[in-house]
Amino acid sequence: MGSVRDLYKRTILEHSRAPRNFRALTGEGILSAELRNVTCGDRIVLAVAVEDDVLRDIAFQGSGCAISMASASVMTEAVKGLSRTRVSDLHERFAALVRDGVESELGEPGELAVFRDVARFPVRVACATLAWDVLHVAMAL
């Protein structure tokens, strides 16, 4: 088993230090949700603008470990412009990636693939999936 240091690859550190879409998103029709990871204290508040079943804009705020912040940042870039169905599919693929370290036959999830090594550290899976879980809650509203 590799060290925790191996987990913090360049992309994860970059996104955790300068997260994309880390801002408030307000306005009419904005869906939002908040979740916490009680194990390590991560907290994410997510807001989405959905129009014609497409996620048009997304933003998050909160605090947490490098894994949770980087995952939220990469996620916001990956899902913007996707349909609800496609977002749900990507959520399932990402969860399998960080849980099992195996990418689905649906193709490479791009920058999300850097989270593959999370599967080697089961305690970090909840950190990596927190933003995705919040997105699921927000879009279910």
Side-chain angles (χ1 to χ4, degrees):
M1 183 177 282
S3 71
V4 174
R5 179 175 289 150
D6 294 339
L7 183 59
Y8 293 92
K9 294 181 178 181
R10 185 178 59 82
T11 302
I12 292 172
L13 289 174
E14 179 185 322
H15 277 271
S16 68
R17 290 178 180 151
R20 292 12 164 230
N21 300 300
F22 189 84
R23 58 186 166 82
L25 182 61
T26 59
E28 197 169 316
I30 300 298
L31 305 172
S32 65
E34 174 181 353
L35 287 177
R36 294 175 187 267
N37 179 348
V38 295
T39 306
C40 66
D42 298 337
R43 176 184 158 268
I44 295 180
V45 178
L46 190 86
V48 295
V50 177
E51 180 183 317
D52 297 327
D53 208 39
V54 173
L55 198 153
R56 298 289 181 202
D57 201 3
I58 184 169
F60 79 100
Q61 295 179 300
S63 60
C65 69
I67 295 293
S68 68
M69 293 294 101
S71 179
S73 176
V74 172
M75 179 202 68
T76 62
E77 291 188 314
V79 300
K80 198 180 291 186
L82 299 181
S83 69
R84 284 179 186 259
T85 301
R86 184 73 179 106
V87 169
S88 179
D89 175 57
L90 198 55
H91 178 194
E92 290 176 24
R93 289 174 48 212
F94 183 77
L97 177 76
V98 298
R99 216 180 28 248
D100 307 324
V102 177
E103 295 173 40
S104 74
E105 59 280 350
L106 297 173
E108 177 74 25
E111 204 168 34
L112 295 171
V114 301
F115 293 93
R116 178 185 308 108
D117 290 340
V118 170
R120 294 178 16 214
F121 306 94
V123 71
R124 293 299 196 179
V125 171
C127 301
T129 58
L130 181 63
W132 291 89
D133 296 341
V134 179
L135 177 60
H136 177 76
V137 171
M139 292 189 67
L141 299 175

